[in-house]
């Protein structure tokens, strides 16, 4: 269906051309009449296009141009443009209201919110951010990393890998902050900063409490163990008491292991020092762990096998690394049947190095795997206690690896066995010169 304005325009065009052609025909020159008609109409069109263009340029005008200014299809077009403009204006106001509302909401937040454009320049921030970092209006458009200059934050922000939040201590205000960055839109970033000072202090109190209790319990426990050992060795100990004393000895032994593990874990959590940069020969370290494991396996006769690149060395803390690998090997023995094979391998890999401990033991149901590094999490508590486990072994492994920027991966199948592998980044890997290594070999016991 043609709109009336367009219809009128068609009629106008035909009318002008027809009248001019007729006049030309009467005057004896049809072609001239036709040309004058078309030309006239063309001029009319140009005048209206000009007027329309003028009007669009002055779009702030609220109403349509008066009828006498534009006619026919031009009036329709101007009406449509005006309608679009009105719609656009309404949408703009709606969006502005939404933006204001979001800004009001984020202003009310106690967490600091900072909006950063794709060039890392600050676009907007809320009141909490202003108070936390002393941002001023003139900071708008400046690089965020020029205003939050903590080297760890700059590294985290530039890395663009924000799977985990970053925790930082800002010495200036004795504050502990947690930074979480979200990427959105066209490379823009939303930085959310939480003040976790209270949480941090509570966590510190918890750590101090565990460390103090563990230390305080150590001395009385040593005394009790000493007396129990003397009692157990005493020939005057009545027969009926022997079982009781032996059980008391076992339990104090368990408590000692538990306290020692708690102290190790607390030390790992509180030690702020970066692990040393001295290269540690992994082959030597694993050989000595395996030698201890052989004693543990004792009559169970596990087949302990090691293999790997004997030139592999890692920079880190030897005591901590030994403790982590030892915990994995002890678990492999404790959760595997006698005589089964436990394999420890260590080699260079793309992007770093790996040390893995594989067993043919009871395996772990996949649903438990995400939680086994939690403190005191046990798949089968009675089995863990029977094997002398404290429930802290894998938590210690996790913390040691965390301190060495390494990652623990677990692959396991129920009834088939498990593989715990530690992946170290290239930055920690060193190749020992040949004079410090023995030939790459597979060793058995
Ligand atoms: P625990 O002292 O109880 O062994 P860990 O923290 O070392 O504590 O391990 C947590 C739990 O993970 C264990 O209780 C056990 O159920 C499971 N687990 C650890 N290592 C193995 C393994 N090699 N095979 C099977 N289960 C394992």
């Amino acid at each position: 269906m043609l709109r009336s304005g367009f219809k009128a325009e068609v009629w106008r065009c035909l009318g002008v051309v027809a009248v001019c052609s007729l006049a030309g025909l009467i005057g004896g020159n049809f072609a001239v009449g036709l040309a004058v008609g078309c030309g006239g109409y063309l001029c009319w069109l140009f005048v209206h296009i000009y007027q329309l263009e003028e009007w669009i340029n002055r779009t702030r005008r609220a109403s349509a141009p008066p009828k006498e200014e534009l006619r026919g299809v031009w009036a329709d077009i101007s009406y449509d443009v005006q309608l679009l403009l009105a719609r656009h204006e309404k949408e703009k106001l709606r969006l502005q209201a939404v933006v204001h509302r979001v800004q009001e909401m984020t202003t009310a937040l106690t967490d600091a919110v900072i909006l950063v454009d794709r060039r890392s320049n600050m676009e907007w921030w809320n009141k909490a951010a202003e108070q936390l970092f002393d941002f001023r209006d003139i900071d708008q458009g400046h690089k965020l990393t020029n205003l939050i200059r903590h080297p760890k934050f700059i590294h985290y922000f530039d890395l663009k890998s924000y799977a985990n939040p970053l925790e930082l201590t800002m010495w200036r205000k004795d504050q502990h902050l947690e930074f979480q960055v979200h990427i959105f839109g066209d490379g823009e970033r939303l930085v959310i900063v939480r003040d976790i000072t209270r949480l941090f202090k509570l966590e510190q109190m918890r750590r101090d409490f565990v460390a103090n209790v563990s230390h305080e319990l150590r001395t009385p426990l040593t005394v009790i163990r000493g007396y129990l050992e003397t009692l157990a060795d005493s020939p005057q100990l009545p027969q009926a008491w022997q079982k009781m004393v032996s059980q008391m000895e076992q339990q104090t032994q368990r408590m000692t292991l538990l306290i020692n593990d708690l102290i190790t874990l607390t030390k790992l959590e509180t030690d702020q020092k970066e692990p040393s940069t001295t290269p540690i020969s992994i082959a030597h370290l694993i050989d000595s762990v395996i030698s201890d494991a052989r004693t543990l396996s004792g009559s169970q006769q596990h087949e302990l096998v090691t293999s790997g690149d004997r030139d592999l060395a890692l920079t880190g803390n030897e005591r901590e690394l030994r403790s982590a690998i030892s915990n994995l090997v002890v678990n492999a023995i404790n959760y595997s049947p006698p005589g089964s094979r436990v394999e420890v391998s260590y080699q260079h890999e793309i992007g770093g190095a790996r040390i893995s401990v594989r067993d043919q033991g009871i395996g772990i149901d996949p649903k438990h795997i995400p939680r086994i590094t939690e403190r005191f999490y046990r798949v089968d508590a009675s089995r863990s206690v029977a094997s002398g486990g404290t429930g802290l072994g894998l938590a210690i492994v996790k913390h040691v690896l965390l301190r060495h920027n390494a990652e623990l991966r677990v692959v396991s199948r129920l009834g088939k066995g498990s593989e715990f592998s530690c992946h170290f980044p290239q930055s920690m890997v060193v190749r020992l010169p040949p004079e410090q290594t023995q030939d790459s070999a597979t060793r058995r016991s």
Side-chain angles (χ1 to χ4, degrees):
M1 265 291 278
L2 288 178
R3 287 171 69 183
S4 59
F6 193 77
K7 260 192 224 162
E9 202 56 50
V10 171
W11 281 118
R12 193 189 328 276
C13 171
L14 289 176
V16 170
V17 173
V19 168
C20 292
S21 308
L22 197 67
L25 204 65
I26 294 166
N29 202 333
F30 173 75
V32 172
L34 187 66
V36 169
C38 290
Y41 186 69
L42 217 58
C43 290
W44 155 273
L45 280 188
F46 276 124
V47 168
H48 277 80
I49 288 171
Y50 169 78
Q51 283 177 340
L52 189 67
E53 210 266 338
E54 262 285 281
W55 176 72
I56 288 173
N57 270 339
R58 291 181 275 122
T59 44
R60 263 170 274 283
R61 199 157 118 167
S63 57
K67 278 268 179 230
E68 58 278 9
E69 270 186 41
L70 292 171
R71 290 204 185 88
V73 73
W74 306 104
D76 286 353
I77 291 173
S78 79
Y79 176 76
D80 289 347
V81 170
Q82 198 210 6
L83 216 65
L84 279 175
L85 273 172
R87 234 181 263 164
H88 169 78
E89 197 61 29
K90 214 166 135 188
E91 192 62 14
K92 206 168 93 183
L93 287 175
R94 198 184 63 80
L95 285 175
Q96 257 170 10
V98 172
V99 169
H100 273 122
R101 193 128 184 81
V102 171
Q103 282 186 346
E104 267 171 28
M105 264 157 50
T106 44
T107 304
L109 280 179
T110 47
D111 291 349
V113 181
I114 309 162
L115 207 65
V116 176
D117 69 15
R118 46 201 278 260
R119 288 191 200 85
S120 310
N121 296 330
M122 303 221 306
E123 245 179 32
W124 179 86
W125 55 88
N126 69 351
K127 199 130 198 93
E130 192 178 300
Q131 283 163 359
L132 202 56
F133 300 109
D134 297 332
F135 290 154
R136 312 265 157 80
D137 286 349
I138 49 161
D139 294 330
Q140 194 164 33
H142 285 256
K143 282 219 177 318
L144 178 63
T145 43
N146 286 347
L147 296 155
I148 305 176
R149 303 173 71 107
H150 198 297
K152 280 191 182 159
F153 174 75
I154 297 176
H155 181 251
Y156 174 75
F157 190 72
D158 291 341
L159 209 62
K160 295 194 178 164
S161 148
Y162 307 124
N164 296 314
L166 168 79
E167 280 182 24
L168 277 186
T169 304
M170 311 298 270
W171 297 114
R172 193 161 57 101
K173 290 185 178 175
D174 191 23
Q175 267 172 330
H176 299 274
L177 304 180
E178 185 191 77
F179 292 80
Q180 178 77 68
V181 183
H182 305 274
I183 303 183
F184 71 100
D186 188 17
E188 287 115 313
R189 278 169 282 182
L190 184 73
V191 184
I192 298 175
V193 191
R194 277 175 66 209
D195 186 345
I196 52 162
T197 311
R198 211 175 132 260
L199 214 69
F200 185 86
K201 289 200 169 141
L202 279 174
E203 182 68 10
Q204 203 164 28
M205 270 164 66
R206 179 195 64 78
R207 280 196 291 250
D208 290 349
F209 175 75
V210 173
N212 291 339
V213 168
S214 310
H215 276 290
E216 292 298 324
L217 283 177
R218 222 181 200 178
T219 321
L221 210 59
T222 316
V223 175
I224 294 171
R225 271 182 70 195
Y227 281 128
L228 282 172
E229 268 168 30
T230 321
L231 251 173
D233 292 343
S234 165
Q236 286 121 12
L237 185 73
Q239 185 77 25
W241 286 38
Q242 275 175 9
K243 199 172 168 218
M244 267 192 288
V245 171
S246 142
Q247 274 183 358
M248 281 158 81
E249 257 192 308
Q250 275 173 22
Q251 291 307 318
T252 45
Q253 171 71 15
R254 222 172 86 71
M255 273 176 83
T256 311
L257 286 178
L258 186 66
I259 285 170
N260 287 344
D261 274 359
L262 273 175
I263 291 174
T264 309
L265 199 56
T266 316
K267 268 195 198 138
L268 286 170
E269 282 180 329
T270 47
D271 196 354
Q272 296 285 325
K273 273 191 290 171
E274 296 283 321
S276 105
T277 50
T278 325
I280 301 146
S281 161
I282 295 305
H284 287 145
L285 193 133
I286 286 174
D287 287 349
S288 102
V289 169
I290 289 294
S291 138
D292 294 348
R294 225 171 275 143
T295 317
L296 176 78
S297 172
S299 60
Q300 295 187 63
Q301 299 267 307
H302 286 93
E303 189 191 352
L304 301 169
V305 183
T306 67
S307 65
D309 302 330
R310 295 194 72 81
D311 66 347
L312 173 64
L314 294 172
T315 55
N317 183 310
E318 182 165 3
R319 192 176 40 81
E320 290 179 13
L321 287 173
R322 172 191 293 275
S323 154
I325 298 165
S326 173
N327 270 308
L328 293 178
V329 174
V330 168
N331 277 351
I333 290 174
N334 283 342
Y335 298 105
S336 301
S340 65
R341 188 180 161 107
V342 172
E343 207 179 326
V344 185
S345 57
Y346 46 97
Q347 58 263 124
H348 297 275
E349 64 175 4
I350 298 169
R354 65 178 250 153
I355 301 174
S356 57
V357 179
R358 191 190 302 168
D359 64 54
Q360 299 172 326
I362 58 170
I364 308 165
D365 191 326
K367 71 173 185 226
H368 293 293
I369 292 179
R371 298 197 59 190
I372 52 173
T373 55
E374 286 174 19
R375 272 164 241 192
F376 300 114
Y377 187 86
R378 284 137 165 165
V379 174
D380 178 351
S382 55
R383 176 158 189 153
S384 163
V385 171
S387 66
T390 60
L392 294 171
L394 291 181
I396 292 176
V397 174
K398 187 178 99 177
H399 273 86
V400 169
L401 296 188
L402 216 66
R403 279 176 50 77
H404 288 78
N405 300 322
E407 188 195 346
L408 178 69
R409 292 185 202 152
V410 185
V411 180
S412 187
R413 277 177 65 201
L414 258 185
K416 298 279 180 207
S418 318
E419 182 172 8
F420 288 76
S421 45
C422 314
H423 296 260
F424 294 86
Q426 191 61 47
S427 55
M428 309 212 59
V429 180
V430 178
R431 241 177 232 279
L432 291 174
E435 61 272 15
Q436 286 184 36
T437 62
Q438 294 162 25
D439 290 336
S440 180
T442 298
R443 313 185 133 214
R444 281 164 192 276
S445 72

